[in-house]
Amino acid sequence: MDTHELSLFSGLTPSEEADVRKHGWRRAVERGAFIVHQGDPATSIFYLDEGRAKLSQVTPDGQEVAFRYLGAGDTFGAIAITPGAIYPVSVEAVEDCQVLAWDRDTIQKLLAKNARLGLNLTTILTTMVRQLQDQVRELATERAERRIARALTRLARQMGRRVENGILIDMPLSRQDLAELTGTTLYTVSRVLSQWEQQGIVESGRERILLRIPHRLVLIADDLGPPNKE
Amino acid sequence: MDTHELSLFSGLTPSEEADVRKHGWRRAVERGAFIVHQGDPATSIFYLDEGRAKLSQVTPDGQEVAFRYLGAGDTFGAIAITPGAIYPVSVEAVEDCQVLAWDRDTIQKLLAKNARLGLNLTTILTTMVRQLQDQVRELATERAERRIARALTRLARQMGRRVENGILIDMPLSRQDLAELTGTTLYTVSRVLSQWEQQGIVESGRERILLRIPHRLVLIADDLGPPNKE
DNA sequence: CGGCCAGTTGACGTCTTTCAACTTTGGTGG
DNA sequence: CCACCAAAGTTGAAAGACGTCAACTGGCCG
């Protein structure tokens, strides 16, 4: 599943969690603002307490690649633990966020004091490694339609909201956003969505996607679907 | 750079390192054998003491995707720290190897005893995350020729041997291997190498690649190269 | 009401894969 | 030592997926 199954605070007693929290500083970030900037010295590790954010990287020639979307309970910026490191990615709030941040010395002390915290961090990192390996495998072996289907089912699990006639991706999400997440172009995403719309699988509008038959998308993602032709 | 700059034992005193080593068990693995099997329960974390190995994943339909090649000093299988996990990748010895392995309980105790070990592990994991993010970015935005150029310069840094007229990738490496590493096919790799051979950039034979003008490859990898046409 | 931004869609080009036939290389056993 | 075989590599031709470009639509906000 997702990082969600394990947060930085999993298995901590309420008082331990409170202690860790009060050593960090809280910050409100409004929609559109950046929490970390690619290229800046990595001085803090973050915990997303509320809101959603996009973790992405910009190539030297300006193309954007999105790795994933973060939700409440996600941890990022762990690279700050290593002295002298630089953030390799940017994190942008896609809605208003509340974050907790700890600087290197603080998190080091907390880790020394609480073994479970270190275990959680290690698990979070190995989970990220696994997810990225999956992403590499997908990009290396799967075609655009499948990758888009996969991205949508992942987003549905992560931030889907059950509504009357399906599952709504509960976040503004443009064709361009989906293209950056799947390593393709907004044109290809648009064509694929149009096709699915005709088949009644999705219903989409401006920065809004509703999955009407999520099951069909899973079939496409796993290439079991009925041959997708008319 | 590479994981090499930081090994699991960095910053440990000789006696600390000896202690950690003697709590693990040593195993010889001969060329072609697997050190970890994708899908098996992840019970041990490994340190590659000698030799080279390939870290890869097989897709449900049998295609192989290679993430990277490991050399002496590399650590893998850190996912074993999380109880109940499954290895998401396989690691195959591409030459005879010596590995050290620790089971979950042992490594947990060692981590509790030695804070520096935990710091090293965290740094190793964040480095892996960074490398995988780079790999995703490359697959999402760069074309095959560039990805192949990049893979070769990386391999040259990692396991290149200076020889009379260039840098030799010091390991058997077929067109198929390079294809699995770059998310393309052996045919495309073959065509690209042929072209480079004509331009005198590389010299290649059966499972053997010699970089004659490494600089040119770097230019291609960074897309500064003179337009690559005849 | 006008402009802007997201989205759509056709036409076209190009990169890459796929398939097939062929050559080269290196190892092995007679 | 040589002949042979399997594995690795090469290359042409054709098809397919995807990107690029351009023109157009529609909703929304000031």
Side-chain angles (χ1 to χ4, degrees):
Chain A
M1 273 249 209
D2 267 359
T3 312
H4 276 78
E5 60 185 37
L6 186 124
S7 103
L8 194 57
F9 299 129
S10 293
L12 266 59
T13 65
S15 78
E16 284 175 328
E17 173 169 345
D19 181 56
V20 174
R21 280 179 177 273
K22 80 158 192 279
H23 278 87
W25 42 283
R26 170 174 290 270
R27 200 172 111 210
V29 182
E30 57 188 27
R31 179 175 175 181
F34 284 82
I35 308 172
V36 324
H37 292 267
Q38 174 179 348
D40 281 2
T43 56
S44 305
I45 180 170
F46 297 88
Y47 177 83
L48 185 51
D49 218 11
E50 279 174 37
R52 305 191 193 288
K54 178 176 70 173
L55 196 150
S56 68
Q57 199 174 60
V58 177
T59 66
D61 60 311
Q63 254 182 103
E64 189 165 345
V65 176
F67 297 109
R68 59 187 179 124
Y69 282 81
L70 308 172
D74 276 327
T75 299
F76 58 96
I79 200 177
I81 290 194
T82 313
I86 296 288
Y87 290 121
V89 296
S90 293
V91 178
E92 180 185 359
V94 296
E95 47 184 65
D96 290 354
C97 290
Q98 293 286 331
V99 300
L100 280 171
W102 298 266
D103 64 26
R104 175 158 43 252
D105 292 349
T106 309
I107 197 74
Q108 300 263 28
K109 273 179 209 133
L110 291 168
L111 286 170
K113 196 161 63 174
N114 190 326
R116 179 61 200 249
L117 202 61
L119 183 59
N120 288 348
L121 188 60
T122 306
T123 302
I124 287 167
L125 285 169
T126 57
T127 301
M128 288 173 56
V129 166
R130 203 154 25 83
Q131 288 176 347
L132 283 162
Q133 286 171 343
D134 289 346
Q135 216 169 338
V136 168
R137 177 177 39 67
E138 285 177 26
L139 283 165
T141 65
E142 287 170 8
R143 297 211 290 240
E145 188 189 28
R146 281 248 304 263
R147 301 201 304 269
I148 296 167
R150 236 184 245 288
L152 283 181
T153 56
R154 230 182 300 136
L155 286 170
R157 246 182 292 126
Q158 212 183 329
M159 44 189 69
R161 201 179 73 209
R162 297 213 85 85
V163 293
E164 180 122 29
N165 35 18
I167 298 177
L168 179 70
I169 306 293
D170 195 14
M171 183 182 59
L173 189 74
S174 68
R175 306 293 184 265
Q176 177 66 34
D177 292 331
L178 210 41
E180 288 166 0
L181 197 56
T182 53
T184 180
T185 63
L186 77 103
Y187 307 104
T188 297
V189 171
S190 177
R191 282 183 233 273
V192 169
L193 287 180
S194 294
Q195 197 194 336
W196 288 344
E197 184 122 27
Q198 279 180 5
Q199 302 175 243
I201 301 175
V202 305
E203 210 178 285
S204 70
R206 189 189 179 94
E207 299 190 315
R208 176 187 160 284
I209 300 180
L210 170 70
L211 314 188
R212 301 217 43 159
I213 321 181
H215 180 61
R216 291 281 305 275
L217 279 186
V218 175
L219 291 183
I220 294 169
D222 297 342
D223 194 22
L224 304 166
N228 213 8
K229 324 228 165 185
E230 275 316 85
Chain B
M1 271 248 210
D2 267 0
T3 313
H4 276 78
E5 60 185 38
L6 186 125
S7 101
L8 194 57
F9 299 129
S10 293
L12 267 59
T13 65
S15 78
E16 283 175 328
E17 174 169 344
D19 181 55
V20 175
R21 280 180 177 271
K22 79 159 192 278
H23 278 86
W25 42 282
R26 171 175 288 270
R27 198 172 111 210
V29 181
E30 56 188 28
R31 179 175 175 180
F34 284 81
I35 308 171
V36 324
H37 293 268
Q38 175 179 349
D40 281 1
T43 56
S44 305
I45 179 170
F46 296 88
Y47 177 84
L48 185 52
D49 218 11
E50 279 174 38
R52 306 191 193 288
K54 178 175 69 172
L55 195 150
S56 67
Q57 198 174 62
V58 176
T59 66
D61 60 310
Q63 255 181 103
E64 189 165 344
V65 176
F67 297 108
R68 60 186 178 127
Y69 282 81
L70 308 171
D74 276 326
T75 299
F76 57 95
I79 200 177
I81 290 194
T82 312
I86 295 288
Y87 290 121
V89 296
S90 293
V91 178
E92 180 185 0
V94 296
E95 48 184 63
D96 291 354
C97 289
Q98 293 286 331
V99 299
L100 280 171
W102 298 265
D103 63 28
R104 175 160 42 253
D105 291 349
T106 309
I107 197 73
Q108 299 264 29
K109 274 180 208 134
L110 291 168
L111 286 170
K113 197 161 62 174
N114 190 325
R116 178 62 200 248
L117 203 60
L119 184 60
N120 287 349
L121 188 60
T122 306
T123 302
I124 287 168
L125 285 169
T126 57
T127 302
M128 289 173 57
V129 166
R130 204 154 25 82
Q131 288 175 347
L132 283 162
Q133 285 171 342
D134 288 346
Q135 217 170 337
V136 169
R137 177 177 39 67
E138 285 177 27
L139 283 165
T141 64
E142 287 169 10
R143 298 209 291 231
E145 187 188 29
R146 267 219 355 237
R147 300 201 304 268
I148 296 167
R150 236 183 244 289
L152 283 181
T153 56
R154 229 181 303 137
L155 286 170
R157 244 182 294 126
Q158 212 182 330
M159 43 189 70
R161 202 179 73 208
R162 298 213 84 84
V163 293
E164 181 121 29
N165 36 18
I167 298 177
L168 179 71
I169 307 293
D170 196 15
M171 182 182 61
L173 188 75
S174 68
R175 306 294 182 264
Q176 177 67 35
D177 291 332
L178 253 183
E180 287 167 0
L181 196 57
T182 54
T184 180
T185 62
L186 77 104
Y187 307 104
T188 298
V189 172
S190 177
R191 283 182 232 274
V192 168
L193 287 180
S194 294
Q195 197 193 335
W196 288 344
E197 184 123 25
Q198 279 180 5
Q199 302 174 242
I201 301 176
V202 305
E203 210 179 286
S204 71
R206 189 190 180 94
E207 298 190 316
R208 176 188 159 281
I209 300 180
L210 171 70
L211 315 188
R212 300 216 44 160
I213 321 181
H215 180 62
R216 291 282 303 275
L217 279 185
V218 175
L219 292 183
I220 294 168
D222 296 342
D223 194 21
L224 304 165
N228 213 8
K229 324 226 166 185
E230 280 312 85

